[in-house]
Amino acid sequence: MARTNTFFWYDLMTSDPQAAGAFYANVVGWTLEDWPGDMPYTMVKAAGTGVGGIMAIPDEAKAVGARPGWLGYVKVDDADRAAAAVTAAGGSIQREPEDIPHVGRFAVVCDPQGAVFMMLAPTEPDQPGVPLMTPGHVGWHELYSSDPQKGFAFYETLFGWAKADALDMGPMGTYQLFADSRDKDCGAVGGMMRLPEGVPVPVWGFYFAVEAIDAAVERITSGGGRVLMPPMEVPGGSWIVNALDPQGAHFALVAPKR
């Protein structure tokens, strides 16, 4: 099972769930499965294991200008206690804790700089944990923040995350890697950096793992998506690409080879 205080589920809220599902099934290799609940929700799976879901943007979110985008869930033991800890650490509550029948209790929150994420205390057994670069799963987590140092301090206080290596990115500042545990043997699972040009507000981004980046780029473009930058090799030898899906949601891919 996924460890407490780690990202473990990812939802896409979009203007066209059916079209988005078909796009990602082709690009990432997911299978799609309708959730048997009252609200239309499509679960996405990689090799039979749940990764996240796709749903229409809720009306209340549309009313405040929400656009298509991915949101990540951090697993917690108690959603109410975790929400109180968010405000105590300087964050804010966007949606108070409430129950999802047969799933758990969740809350929508922001860190002090405004990046939105969710927390979920599952009531049912969750999906098993998988190694970081398993195809179809999230291989990297990235926070774009107006103040990465204060942002890291917030997550360290809230979830016990630990700093790993820091990379000097020149004019773009420091790229701070983080581990989701204070265990010294736990490797980095993501990075935090200052808002780059073209990213207007603090936000979490997620890199889905695929087997090879060039073939995935072809699937993005042929499926109606748009590549925002050409494939780039990153420290450690992996290849990444950032893109927009046909509905305008940002996503990224990571692969061990080009």
Side-chain angles (χ1 to χ4, degrees):
M1 293 184 182
R3 294 189 303 175
T4 302
N5 295 335
T6 66
F7 279 112
F8 79 122
W9 194 259
Y10 309 86
D11 272 354
L12 173 65
M13 297 185 183
T14 183
S15 55
D16 191 336
Q18 185 173 3
F23 172 80
Y24 286 101
N26 181 51
V27 170
V28 185
W30 288 331
T31 56
L32 309 176
E33 179 180 308
D34 289 336
W35 179 260
D38 295 334
M39 180 183 69
Y41 182 85
T42 300
M43 188 160 62
V44 301
K45 292 185 172 182
T49 300
V51 177
I54 299 173
M55 61 184 289
I57 300 172
D59 290 340
E60 60 269 27
K62 285 182 183 178
V64 295
R67 299 177 60 83
W70 284 93
L71 290 171
Y73 289 78
V74 175
K75 182 181 179 180
V76 296
D77 290 325
D78 185 311
D80 295 87
R81 188 168 62 238
V86 165
T87 57
S92 60
I93 308 298
Q94 300 298 298
R95 185 166 180 170
E96 294 289 343
E98 61 182 274
D99 293 327
I100 305 174
H102 311 297
V103 174
R105 190 165 176 81
F106 84 108
V108 184
V109 302
C110 282
D111 68 21
Q113 288 69 47
V116 179
F117 64 99
M118 302 195 205
M119 300 183 297
L120 174 67
T123 53
E124 301 292 330
D126 60 17
Q127 299 293 320
V130 297
L132 192 63
M133 286 292 290
T134 301
H137 292 265
V138 171
W140 196 251
H141 309 80
E142 197 161 75
L143 176 65
Y144 302 130
S145 177
S146 56
D147 192 330
Q149 289 187 335
K150 289 183 178 178
F152 174 80
F154 168 80
Y155 292 101
E156 180 184 37
T157 298
L158 194 63
F159 299 128
W161 294 356
K163 287 184 177 180
D165 293 338
L167 306 177
D168 183 356
M169 299 177 64
M172 296 179 65
T174 299
Y175 189 76
Q176 179 63 62
L177 276 62
F178 68 90
D180 61 19
S181 170
R182 291 194 176 101
D183 183 348
K184 293 182 179 179
D185 294 328
C186 183
V189 298
M192 300 182 184
M193 63 180 291
R194 187 168 295 279
L195 284 171
E197 185 178 353
V199 180
V201 296
V203 65
W204 276 100
F206 307 105
Y207 289 71
F208 303 113
V210 293
E211 292 184 355
I213 211 70
D214 283 346
V217 165
E218 291 181 7
R219 296 194 295 271
I220 290 171
T221 56
S222 66
R226 180 160 65 94
V227 174
L228 298 178
M229 66 172 195
M232 180 175 68
E233 189 174 16
V234 295
S238 294
W239 287 83
I240 64 170
V241 67
N242 281 266
L244 296 177
D245 70 21
Q247 289 70 47
H250 175 268
F251 70 102
L253 302 176
V254 59
K257 62 182 180 179
R258 184 151 190 187

